[in-house]
């Protein structure tokens, strides 16, 4: 890796792991055959192969001129998605065994997270998304750093892989915040100049919209998340008021009643009175009912808020039911729906990773769908990116206020 070009390394990788033929180092072939012949190979080989991929990717990602090699490496496995690699006629028993194990790797969680990581690191990702033909949701993963921990890692990911993803997440999140700040500053200055005599003729350097929302949609979202939403209160004000008020709550039942009022205050009566408010009230009523008379505790707050996210977003990976979430977005819009979720996270910050996990389940569920078929989810993911950045990032939008 230190002495050969990415193209040479990809040729080596193809010969050793994909074709299983023609690798120049007999010692390496013997070692590989020993690994694939092991009785533990079907359980463990996917980790060996995943590790070999990450050795190359971790090196290439630190050199911008080598980024294009990352998707090329992952593309080597494409033939196994249609069984072509298995069907190729080979006489060597060791090669047949290798190809079977590689095929199993392609079906694994390790390869799925590897493919997503390549998508995030690919410089061509933005170009592909910008093309006119419909694109699958999977091509957008690079846009949502808050999903990385759940979409780019599996339970068996090594500490090194976790560190790599955290670094990438931090870089992408910081870049989004910078781009959003520059865009908002540009919009504010343009608006100010338009109101000044002769200001419209002055030239200012434009900043691009860093989201997939239209300029109007993004402006509405930013103002909503950092501005006043109920009377003179912002989301942060409302959350702090709720925390202060409920700190003296007598019982868990009282807390749930207050939580119901806190959440429904931002929902229009036209929608809430139809069925949603009743559904929410009943769900809270049946949340840990055996503790209703107990004094409020941190455990009860975290448990209640996490279960609320199951109800509002999606239940679980095994049961990806999300009718309530679809209904909310369809009737209230992605911005107001995101605001409800933001309310929960602001009163219990410990469930922020849990919210991100819920959204990653939806992302995984719709990953192969074309964007135009699930535009509602794209809008929701984009709004969440703005909401989390304005409340949990280092973004300073005081200029807009």
């Amino acid at each position: 890796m230190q002495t050969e070009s990415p193209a040479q390394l990809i040729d080596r990788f193809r010969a050793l792991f994909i074709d299983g033929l023609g690798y120049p180092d007999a010692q390496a072939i013997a070692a590989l055959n020993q690994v694939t012949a092991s009785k533990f190979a079907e359980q463990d080989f996917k980790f060996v192969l995943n590790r070999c991929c990450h050795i190359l990717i971790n090196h290439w990602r630190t050199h911008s001129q080598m980024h294009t090699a990352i998707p090329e490496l992952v593309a080597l496995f494409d033939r196994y998605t249609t069984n072509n690699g298995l069907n190729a006629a080979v006489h060597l028993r060791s090669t047949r065994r290798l190809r079977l194990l590689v095929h199993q790797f392609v079906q694994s969680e390790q390869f799925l997270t590897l493919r997503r990581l390549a998508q995030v690191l690919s410089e061509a990702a933005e170009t592909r998304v910008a093309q006119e033909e419909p694109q699958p949701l999977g091509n957008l993963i690079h846009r949502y750093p808050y999903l990385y921990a759940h979409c780019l890692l599996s339970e068996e990911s090594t500490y090194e892989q976790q560190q790599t993803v955290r670094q990438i997440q931090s870089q992408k999140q910081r870049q989004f915040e910078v781009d959003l700040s520059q865009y908002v500053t540009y919009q504010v200055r343009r608006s100010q100049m338009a109101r000044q005599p002769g200001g419209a003729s002055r030239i200012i350097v434009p900043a691009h919209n860093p989201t997939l929302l239209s300029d109007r949609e993004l402006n509405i979202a930013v103002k909503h998340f950092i501005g006043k939403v109920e009377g003179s209160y912002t989301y942060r004000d409302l959350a702090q008021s709720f925390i202060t008020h409920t700190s003296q709550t007598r019982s868990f039942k009282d807390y749930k009643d207050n939580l119901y009022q806190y959440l429904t205050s931002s929902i229009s009566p036209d929608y809430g009175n139809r069925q949603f408010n009743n559904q929410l009230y009943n769900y809270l009523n049946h949340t840990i009912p055996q503790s209703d008379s107990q004094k409020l505790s941190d455990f009860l707050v975290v448990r209640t808020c996490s279960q609320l996210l199951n109800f509002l977003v999606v239940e679980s990976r095994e049961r990806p039911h999300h009718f309530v979430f679809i209904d909310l977005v369809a009737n209230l819009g992605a911005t107001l729906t995101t605001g409800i979720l933001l309310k929960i996270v602001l009163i219990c910050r410990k469930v922020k990773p849990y919210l991100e996990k819920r959204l990653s389940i939806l992302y995984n569920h719709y990953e192969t769908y074309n964007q135009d078929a699930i535009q509602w989810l794209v809008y929701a993911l984009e709004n969440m990116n703005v909401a989390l950045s304005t409340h949990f990032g280092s973004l300073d939008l005081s200029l807009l206020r």
Side-chain angles (χ1 to χ4, degrees), residues 343-359:
K343 273 188 161 186
I344 296 171
V345 179
L346 286 175
I347 63 168
C348 182
R349 298 194 170 215
K350 289 181 179 179
V351 299
K352 178 176 174 283
Y354 196 82
L355 171 60
E356 294 164 350
K357 176 65 174 176
R358 298 303 97 190
L359 293 168

Side-chain angles (χ1 to χ4, degrees), residues 1 10 35 47 55 61 77 95 113 123 149 182 189 196 201 262 271 282 284 297 316 321 323 347 349 369:
M1 188 175 65
I10 286 174
V35 170
F47 301 119
I55 288 173
R61 77 177 182 85
F77 295 97
T95 303
T113 57
E123 290 182 345
Q182 290 175 344
R189 286 177 179 168
Q196 296 171 358
S201 61
Y262 169 68
Y271 175 71
N282 290 332
L284 285 170
S297 66
S316 67
H321 304 313
F323 306 115
I347 63 168
R349 298 194 170 215
Y369 285 63

Side-chain angles (χ1 to χ4, degrees), residues 95-244:
T95 303
R96 289 199 303 272
R97 173 71 169 164
L98 170 67
R99 293 189 179 182
L100 173 64
L101 293 171
V102 172
H103 177 71
Q104 291 174 349
F105 170 69
V106 172
Q107 311 303 314
S108 71
E109 184 76 13
Q110 283 70 34
F111 180 70
L112 181 60
T113 57
L114 187 71
R115 183 187 286 278
R116 291 172 183 158
L117 179 61
Q119 182 69 37
V120 167
L121 294 174
S122 171
E123 290 182 345
E126 291 282 358
T127 305
R128 286 197 297 273
V129 169
Q131 292 174 347
E132 292 185 1
E133 64 267 16
Q135 293 290 320
L137 180 66
N139 283 4
L140 300 184
I141 183 61
H142 63 287
R143 304 189 66 88
Y144 311 120
Y146 61 91
L147 298 181
Y148 288 4
H150 306 289
C151 291
L152 305 186
L153 296 170
S154 62
E155 290 183 3
E156 298 87 358
S157 293
T158 65
Y159 175 75
E160 182 186 41
Q161 290 166 19
Q162 294 173 32
Q163 288 293 95
T164 296
V165 169
R166 286 195 193 100
Q167 290 170 7
I168 296 169
Q169 180 180 25
S170 178
Q171 292 165 2
K172 293 281 187 178
Q173 183 62 43
R174 194 180 314 116
Q175 187 59 55
F176 176 77
E177 290 176 11
V178 168
D179 291 344
L180 183 59
S181 179
Q182 290 175 344
Y183 171 80
V184 169
T185 302
Y186 163 68
Q187 291 291 337
V188 170
R189 286 177 179 168
R190 193 175 72 161
S191 177
Q192 290 171 342
M193 287 172 56
R195 293 194 296 268
Q196 296 171 358
S201 61
R202 292 173 58 188
I203 298 175
I204 55 174
V205 179
H208 79 285
N209 178 340
T211 74
L212 294 179
L213 304 172
S214 68
D215 286 354
R216 180 177 177 276
E217 290 165 341
L218 177 55
N219 291 342
I220 290 172
V222 171
K223 289 178 181 178
H224 182 77
F225 295 132
I226 70 169
K228 298 170 183 177
V229 287
E230 293 179 31
S232 60
Y233 291 93
T234 64
Y235 277 115
R236 205 181 296 275
D237 296 334
L238 291 169
Q240 189 55 55
S241 176
F242 176 83
I243 292 170
T244 301

Side-chain angles (χ1 to χ4, degrees), residues 244-262:
T244 301
H245 176 69
T246 55
S247 62
Q248 305 299 322
T249 301
R250 293 181 181 180
S251 67
F252 177 53
K253 177 68 169 64
D254 289 342
Y255 177 82
K256 290 192 293 184
D257 289 341
N258 287 321
L259 181 57
Y260 169 79
Q261 296 295 334
Y262 169 68

Side-chain angles (χ1 to χ4, degrees), residues 4 203 213 283 308 349 390:
E4 296 187 2
I203 298 175
L213 304 172
Y283 190 86
L308 251 183
R349 298 194 170 215
T390 52

